[in-house]
């Protein structure tokens, strides 16, 4: 039982790490697109935001399933709740990258 729980927590942490890397890439690319006026790159960022949104939903679903199945307490519960909060903040940062990308065409 505990091995499954540990695997689920690892998957959760891997997902939030992937999401963070996607958001970081989106923000860097959005700033670059604004500098260069690259509307194709801006469109990629805008469409990529849907994937970030989907990742947030997936992380929240994983958190909910882990809480429901395993009923974690203390440190583990705080860890899971923190991951949910991070996912929400990363999604918001992804929205900011999308907003920057939308402004790319307005800069030139």
């Amino acid at each position: 039982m505990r091995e499954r729980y540990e695997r689920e927590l690892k998957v959760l942490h891997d997902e939030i790490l992937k999401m963070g890397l996607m958001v970081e890439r989106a923000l860097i690319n959005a700033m670059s697109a604004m500098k260069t006026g690259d509307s194709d790159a801006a469109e990629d960022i805008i469409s990529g935001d849907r994937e970030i949104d989907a990742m947030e939903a997936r992380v929240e679903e994983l958190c909910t399933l882990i809480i429901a199945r395993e009923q974690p307490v203390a440190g583990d519960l705080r860890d899971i709740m923190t991951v949910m909060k991070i996912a929400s903040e990363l999604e918001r940062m992804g929205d900011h990258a999308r907003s920057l990308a939308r402004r790319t065409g307005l800069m030139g």
Side-chain angles (χ1 to χ4, degrees), residues 27-45:
L27 286 167
I28 290 169
N29 291 343
M31 289 185 287
S32 177
M34 282 188 78
K35 275 186 191 176
T36 63
D38 186 346
S39 59
D40 290 334
E43 285 301 319
D44 289 343
I45 295 158

Side-chain angles (χ1 to χ4, degrees), residues 22-80:
M22 286 180 64
V23 170
E24 178 184 32
R25 193 172 326 120
L27 286 167
I28 290 169
N29 291 343
M31 289 185 287
S32 177
M34 282 188 78
K35 275 186 191 176
T36 63
D38 186 346
S39 59
D40 290 334
E43 285 301 319
D44 289 343
I45 295 158
I46 292 166
S47 63
D49 184 55
R50 287 184 206 97
E51 190 175 348
I52 292 170
D53 294 346
M55 286 192 82
E56 179 197 20
R58 172 80 175 130
V59 166
E60 286 183 3
E61 180 182 346
L62 286 170
C63 289
T64 302
L65 288 172
I66 292 170
I67 291 169
R69 268 192 290 222
E70 306 298 335
Q71 300 176 351
V73 294
D76 285 344
L77 183 59
R78 282 190 296 274
D79 183 42
I80 293 166

